[in-house]
Amino acid sequence: MPFQYNYHAPLVWTALHLSSSVVPAVFSRPTFWLFFLMHICVYVAYGQGYLADAGQEGSPLSLNWRAVQVITSMTTFFEVFYTNHVYARYERLFFLSRSILGQLNNFVFDLRVFAHGQQDLVRLATRYFASGVFLFFAEVGQEAVSDDAAANLIRTGLMTEEELLELNSTFTARERSVVVMHWSGRVLREALLCAKAPNNVLKAAIDRLIQTRDQQQQIRDTLKFPIPFPYFHLLNAMVVVNLLLWAYGMGLTRSYFAPLGFFFAELIFCGMVELAGQLSDPFGNDAVDFPLTSWLATSFEDTRVLLEYKFTLGRDGWAEVAAK
C-alpha cells in the first residue's frame, strides 16, 4: 500500500525515511554489494600502492573520464526514458482501476432511479456486477482466485456457494469476471423491463457494463505488454558497464570520500531501475502498489449505501418537498 507522506516534511527527514522507499529493496540485491565490494577492492589496492600507475594519465591502467561521461550520459537518458514510460503506464493502470470502481457506483445510481419496485432484481444485478469487479482484481493480482478470495466472496454475500461452484467448475480464472458481468446484464435487462424504463436507459446501463469490461481488458493488455525486452536488456547492460567503470575509476583516489560518493551514485542508479520494476506491475504487495483491498472496501460500502438507503424525504413525491 502506498505510503502517505507529508509534502511539507523537512528534506532531511524525508531523505532518512527509508522503510517505504526502494532503498531496502536495493540493499537486498547481492549485485549492489558486489559492485560496492569491487570499488572497495580497487580503492584499497590503489591506497596500498598496487595500482599506483593507474592514477597517471597515459598509463595502461588509467581511466579516461571523458569516455566514461559519454557512457554515463547515454545510460542516464535510457534510464530516465524507461522510468518515465513505466510511470505513464502506472498512471494509466491507476485511472483504469479507479474508473472500474466508479462504474459500479454509477450503475447502482442509475438502477435506483429507473428500476422502481424491482429492488430484489436491482440487488442481484449489483451483486453480480460487484462480484465481477472483485474477481477481476483477484485475477490480475494473483492470476487466480485463491481460497481466501473465494471465502471472502461468500462471506460478504457477493456470491453464493452454488454460483461460485458453477463458475469454478465451468470457466477459467480469466473468464469468470466476464461471465458474472454478463449475468448482471441479463438481470439488469429484466429489472428495467419490469419497471418499464425507457429503452435508452437500458442501452445506457448495458453500455456501462460493456465499458467496464473494455477497461478490464485494457488493464490485462497493458500488463501483458511491458517495455520490449531488448530495450530492458540494453538498459541493464549499460547500467552494469557504467557501474563497473565507476567502481574502478572512483576507486583510483586516496580521498576518504570516494567510497561514500560511489555508494550513493550506485544507489541512485540501482534505485531507479528497482523503482521502475515496482511501478511496472502495481497489483501486488510493493510499497507503490495499489491499495486494492481498501479501494474495494470503500467502493462496496458506497455501493451498499446507494443500494439500501431508505427514502425519508420525497417518499410521496418531490413536489411537496420542493414547495417548502
Side-chain angles (χ1 to χ4, degrees):
M1 179 175 179
F3 174 68
Q4 300 299 317
Y5 58 91
N6 181 6
Y7 292 94
H8 305 290
L11 289 175
V12 175
W13 184 91
T14 303
L16 294 178
H17 192 97
L18 306 180
S19 60
S20 299
S21 69
V22 297
V23 174
V26 173
F27 285 170
S28 68
R29 303 286 187 182
T31 308
F32 176 86
W33 299 108
L34 176 62
F35 282 118
F36 187 67
L37 179 61
M38 292 171 58
H39 168 74
I40 294 298
C41 290
V42 173
Y43 178 75
V44 172
Y46 183 81
Q48 295 296 319
Y50 296 109
L51 296 173
D53 294 341
Q56 301 177 6
E57 188 174 353
S59 169
L61 296 177
S62 65
L63 185 66
N64 187 338
W65 276 107
R66 286 190 292 272
V68 175
Q69 287 174 0
V70 174
I71 298 176
T72 299
S73 298
M74 293 175 61
T75 305
T76 302
F77 172 80
F78 270 68
E79 193 165 15
V80 170
F81 177 84
Y82 173 65
T83 305
N84 285 340
H85 172 83
V86 171
Y87 185 73
R89 185 172 179 267
Y90 178 84
E91 281 190 317
R92 174 175 170 78
L93 291 171
F94 171 84
F95 288 118
L96 286 171
S97 300
R98 294 300 298 170
S99 180
I100 288 173
L101 296 173
Q103 293 281 20
L104 175 59
N105 294 336
N106 295 337
F107 178 82
V108 180
F109 191 98
D110 289 345
L111 287 186
R112 285 301 304 270
V113 172
F114 293 105
H116 297 292
Q118 306 299 321
Q119 186 67 4
D120 288 341
L121 289 176
V122 170
R123 285 194 186 98
L124 183 59
T126 303
R127 183 161 65 81
Y128 285 155
F129 195 153
S131 298
V133 170
F134 182 92
L135 287 167
F136 168 74
F137 283 118
E139 170 205 337
V140 297
Q142 305 173 22
E143 295 299 328
V145 180
S146 66
D147 292 338
D148 290 340
N152 285 334
L153 278 171
I154 297 174
R155 180 178 55 80
T156 56
L158 289 177
M159 299 199 75
T160 64
E161 293 186 14
E162 181 183 1
E163 292 165 343
L164 192 59
L165 179 61
E166 180 173 348
L167 280 177
N168 291 337
S169 61
T170 309
F171 305 102
T172 65
R174 191 185 65 82
E175 296 168 342
R176 290 167 194 158
S177 62
V178 180
V179 171
V180 176
M181 297 282 285
H182 190 259
W183 290 356
S184 178
R186 294 172 65 181
V187 177
L188 162 70
R189 179 178 181 276
E190 184 174 338
L192 292 177
L193 289 178
C194 291
K196 299 181 180 179
N199 290 334
N200 63 324
V201 173
L202 174 59
K203 182 181 184 306
I206 295 297
D207 286 345
R208 193 179 298 284
L209 287 170
I210 294 175
Q211 185 178 2
T212 302
R213 195 215 67 81
D214 288 343
Q215 290 168 336
Q216 292 176 349
Q217 189 59 46
Q218 289 180 54
I219 290 178
R220 290 191 184 98
D221 293 341
T222 301
L223 291 174
K224 291 180 179 179
F225 187 68
I227 198 164
F229 178 74
Y231 186 100
F232 182 71
H233 172 267
L234 182 61
L235 172 63
N236 279 265
M238 293 174 71
V239 170
V240 168
V241 170
N242 200 79
L243 292 177
L244 283 172
L245 293 175
W246 281 1
Y248 180 76
M250 295 177 72
L252 302 178
T253 179
R254 298 183 187 277
S255 172
Y256 293 140
F257 295 100
L260 186 66
F262 175 79
F263 179 86
F264 284 108
E266 182 189 9
L267 178 62
I268 292 171
F269 256 50
C270 294
M272 291 287 284
V273 175
E274 182 68 31
L275 175 61
Q278 292 183 8
L279 292 176
S280 64
D281 185 358
F283 299 101
N285 298 313
D286 293 325
V288 298
D289 288 337
F290 300 152
L292 287 179
T293 302
S294 175
W295 286 359
L296 287 169
T298 302
S299 180
F300 289 170
E301 177 60 20
D302 292 344
T303 299
R304 185 195 66 79
V305 171
L306 281 172
L307 184 63
E308 300 296 344
Y309 82 93
K310 305 297 181 182
F311 292 101
T312 53
L313 293 175
R315 187 165 40 196
D316 299 321
W318 291 98
E320 180 180 349
V321 177
K324 290 182 179 180

